Amino acid sequence: MKGFFFRLGILLRRKRFSSELDEEMAFHRAATEHDLRSEGLSPEEAKFAATRRFGNTTRMKERSHEVVSFRFETVAQDLSHAFRQLRKNPGFAATAIGVLALGIGASVALFAFVDAALIKPMPFVDPNRIVSVYETVPSCLLCNVSYQNFRDWQRESHSFAALEVWGYARYTLHADGAIAMADGARVSDGFFRALGVKPMLGRDFYAGEDRPGSGRTVLISYAAWQKRFGGASDVVGKTTQLDDLPYTVIGVLPRDFHFAVRGESDFWTALNDPDGCQKRRGCHSLFGLARLKDNVSVATASAEMTAIASQLEKQYPETNRGFGAVVRPLSEAVVGQVRPVLLVLLSGAGLLLLIACVNVVSLLLVRSEGRRQEIALRGALGASTGRLIRQFVIEGLVLVIAGTAAGIGSALVAMRLLLSLIPAERMEAMPYLEGLGLNARVLAFAAGIAMLAAMLFAVAPALRLKTRDLRGDLAEGSRGSGGRAWKRLGSRLVMVELATAVVLLVGAGLLGKSLYRLLHVDTGFEPERLASAVVSIPKNYTTDAQVMALERALVARVEALHEVKSASIASSTPVRDWDGGVNIAAAGRSLPKERVDVPERDVSAEYLHTLGARLMRGRYFTDAEDDPAKPRVVVINETMAKQFFPGEDAVGKDLEYVQSKQKVRVIGVIEDIKEGQLDTPNRAAMYVPFNQDSWGAFNLVVRTASLEEAKDTAALLQSITRAVHEIDKDIPVAGGMSISDTIRTSNAAYLRRTTAWLVGGFAVLALILSVVGLYGVIAYSVAQRTREIGVRMALGASRQSVHSLILKEASLLTGMGIALGLLSSVAAANLMRKLLFGTATWDVGTLAGVAIVLGAAALVASYIPARRAAEVNPVEALRAE
Amino acid sequence: MTKKSDLLPGTLDMLILKTLTRAPQHGYGIALSIKRLSDEVLTVEEGSLYPALQRLLVQGWVKAEWKMTETNRRARYYTLTDEGRRQLGQELSEFERMISAIGRVLRDVEGAA
């Protein structure tokens, strides 16, 4: 500390310190010279000897300055030198910073998504303790829960601090004189307490509020409060009409509350008016949600639930045969699907970052080669090796800081862009992406990669510096061992770049091919010119006859529209999700060992025609058969026919619902229609007349006369809505969409398309960077070898042989890089197997294609320097050296 | 040319301080003293005196002032401070301890041989 004021004093009169030091040293040399002369040396000899005895004056001055100055002063000098260097060579600076910004930007943006989805905790208390509870059967592994079973679970289980249940609800409401649908959910009374969510206004459901007979109460979301109640502070206690029934608003949920599994939901009501389904043990319509007790693991809870389920199976064999129960972390339900996508994308961005860093290191190395003379000169003038290394460290730091700043900026832009590309309905299932941005974790990640990059950039040229040969470097034009050492390192770096580019290209290729395969899966129907909309049957249609009359009138009215060629109705449209289905068996045969549930579609007679399904055997049912009074008939798919009647003709055989013992006759077999996601295998499915098993809401499916009409779904939906309202203006119509759009935007397709595009983007950038890197190395090598080439040509080597000499070098590098890359990419593709569809990880076509593309690009990149080498004028080359 | 020994690291400061115990000296004088007193065995690259002197100034072990020499030239003279004297004492005893320890080891090795 005591030196501080001394140093400060000197800092304030630096000039004087410097001149005094000069004077002192000059005196010293003069005195030595004087003494030597008096010993008899000639003036010249004396001067020379005195100088030699004194040593390197500049270095001694430097060192003296270092002793008395603060550390930051030299750092500041180095910094300003670094800036000068970069300004002097703006092309280099811009390239390095731009490349870095690209890599860092991509990585940071994707990390922000990963953070929002996988790292940031869900907005619940202790979210890691929250689990989903499912019933499970072979046909539906994570399946809905029956209300009756849930009540038994609640009584029997001990693993949970709370075991709750929730189910979807949709409410019709009248707003501004028009009829509208609102999303909602029905929950057991402790649902919000289990999550640890407290209403921001009003109260939560009280214990027992989910028992039949409790009043009609509703909790509203923050968004609904703002949108539907204008954010009125006295909303609690107000009454609102849902499905034409009065509900009292008891509270408003907090702004940041979201329950991703449900998506956006305005109204949360207590499950206190069990519907028909909830009164039957065999009907599964709810989702279990629980909070684990402290020190109970998911596995323990799952084991307990399995035991309880098997107990219930014995107790209620009719309904519960084959039903187990299983516990999973809630996060799996929320982000299970996007996790592999995000991890693949983050890895892709990481690889891009790697290439970017390697590229910048190559640039730095080339530059440090170009600066050998400058460095040697500074060394000769007294800069210590430490100081020179620090110069490189500081230059690297300046680059990294600028690159990181630009990278964070571009990451912000990229995040905006990516978010805006996510369709609104998909965003609903990913509420955790809201408020995506630069939080502390993302910034820490950016700082982390910046630090790694800085280390890399500082170490590489500094390593070179250690082995420098000062005198050799000073000698002008010398091509010392440094050039060769650099070439070896540079070539290795380029191989790494090429290999990384191969991995990214193969990844993009495999994903692209998967997407293509997926979109060309045989769906079993003709998706073009098809559209659907959801129609809800109002509650005042109560009897089968009323519903039947309504349904027929609707179909007839819609079919009369000029743009509609054919109209029909179905309980669900294809390419959605497989569901558990109903327990059914071939009639009159012993039950198979394992429970078989088959998804059932309630459809009108015209439906399979409208869809363009392909009938294999038998016939479709007729309009007349679409009547509860008529004998029950069913059309089944090929898979079901094979599964239930192997080796036989299914047509004419009877099936029997296991629970109701109701028999139904198979009248036709169709080719499988893809009812579930495109990437799922086909399952047994059956199509029964709509009116033999009616439902509260259904899909109107229409085939339009032309493609344009199917594409302009908004206009089509308007026509349909008008037509429906001509029959009854209280029938809500919603969710119009063309089936091709449904397929295009389906989960399986959407996730793969997003991944394929992003990885493809990374791959293109990687391709460019690596090829530019290769060009750099070859061009540098040619420049280094100009003299050698000149000698070769002077000795009679033809231009052709020089040309092929350079190309050979480039091809060797490229070949090794590609080979290395192909090996790594097979391993890497294994990591993203989950996202591949109908494509092997070692898909030969993709691997070969990538090798050809990269090989061709590399050839072009090395052709230019090879040409230049062949055009070397031997006389000039030899003279220039 | 007589064989010259490089200084042990860290001993230059001590030598300078020791030289200054007799009288204030300028840099050239210090260099001459060290050379003479060691019978020309110890020579320093004379320039390296100056960073060392700055170090001693920063520590406060010496003071510097400009004076005229006998030949009427301006030179900077360095004087030992009290603190410098204490420091020298400490360094000397530390140094002697080490030398005698090394000596013991060497004797022992010779005895065994």
Side-chain angles (χ1 to χ4, degrees), chain A residues 2-4 6-7 10 16-17 19-21 23-36 50 52-56 59-61 63-65 67-68, chain B residues 1 4 26-29 31-32 35-36 44-62 66 69 71 73-78 83:
Chain A
K2 71 185 156 201
F4 178 80
F6 186 87
R7 286 189 169 123
I10 286 178
R16 191 165 146 205
F17 172 80
S19 70
E20 284 185 349
L21 196 62
E23 185 180 347
E24 204 177 0
M25 289 176 164
F27 167 78
H28 188 126
R29 276 195 308 270
T32 319
E33 216 176 307
H34 181 261
D35 285 1
L36 287 171
R52 215 182 41 195
R53 253 170 66 179
F54 193 79
N56 187 329
R59 174 171 290 168
M60 293 314 162
K61 267 179 75 179
R63 274 212 234 144
S64 304
H65 272 284
V67 168
V68 298
Chain B
M1 205 181 211
K4 288 171 181 176
H26 46 62
Y28 180 60
L32 280 185
K35 209 157 128 186
R36 267 190 216 132
V44 289
E45 195 186 17
E46 290 173 15
S48 65
L49 270 182
Y50 292 90
L53 282 169
Q54 306 310 322
R55 197 155 51 232
L56 298 178
L57 278 170
V58 170
Q59 299 291 340
W61 295 335
V62 297
W66 288 91
T69 65
T71 54
R73 286 199 56 172
R74 222 163 79 95
R76 182 140 65 166
Y77 279 81
Y78 293 88
E83 211 176 330

Side-chain angles (χ1 to χ4, degrees), chain A residues 2-15:
Chain A
K2 71 185 156 201
F4 178 80
F5 292 104
F6 186 87
R7 286 189 169 123
L8 194 66
I10 286 178
L11 178 65
L12 296 177
R13 20 184 210 102
R14 170 58 41 87
K15 261 223 182 92

Side-chain angles (χ1 to χ4, degrees), chain A residues 242-280:
Chain A
L242 303 176
D243 281 348
D244 293 324
L245 293 169
Y247 281 80
T248 309
V249 175
I250 57 166
V252 179
L253 292 166
R255 187 173 193 162
D256 66 350
F257 168 73
H258 60 68
F259 189 64
V261 197
R262 169 64 186 95
E264 204 128 292
S265 169
D266 284 352
F267 298 101
W268 298 79
T269 57
L271 254 175
N272 54 20
D273 51 345
D275 57 22
C277 180
Q278 279 139 28
K279 283 174 189 148
R280 285 183 285 135

Side-chain angles (χ1 to χ4, degrees), chain A residues 154 240 307 367 385 406 482 610 612 650 710:
Chain A
Q154 255 189 336
T240 186
R367 231 169 71 90
T385 309
T610 308

Side-chain angles (χ1 to χ4, degrees), chain A residues 339-360:
Chain A
R339 181 181 286 130
V341 172
L342 283 175
L343 292 181
V344 163
L345 290 179
L346 186 62
S347 316
L351 290 177
L352 187 64
L353 178 65
L354 175 70
I355 291 197
C357 285
V358 169
N359 230 315
V360 175

Side-chain angles (χ1 to χ4, degrees), chain A residues 772-837:
Chain A
V772 167
L774 176 72
Y775 169 82
V777 165
I778 301 296
Y780 181 79
S781 153
V782 167
Q784 291 271 294
R785 293 168 68 182
T786 308
R787 183 197 173 97
E788 177 206 324
I789 292 166
V791 171
R792 278 172 188 263
M793 292 175 89
L795 291 178
S798 68
R799 295 196 183 280
Q800 187 52 45
S801 71
V802 168
H803 199 247
S804 59
L805 175 80
I806 302 298
L807 280 187
K808 213 184 277 168
E809 182 189 335
S811 335
L812 188 70
L813 272 184
T814 313
M816 275 159 60
I818 290 180
L820 190 68
L822 289 180
L823 285 178
S824 336
S825 53
V826 172
N830 253 316
L831 298 177
M832 58 174 206
R833 228 180 5 236
K834 267 190 191 162
L835 291 176
L836 298 184
F837 176 77

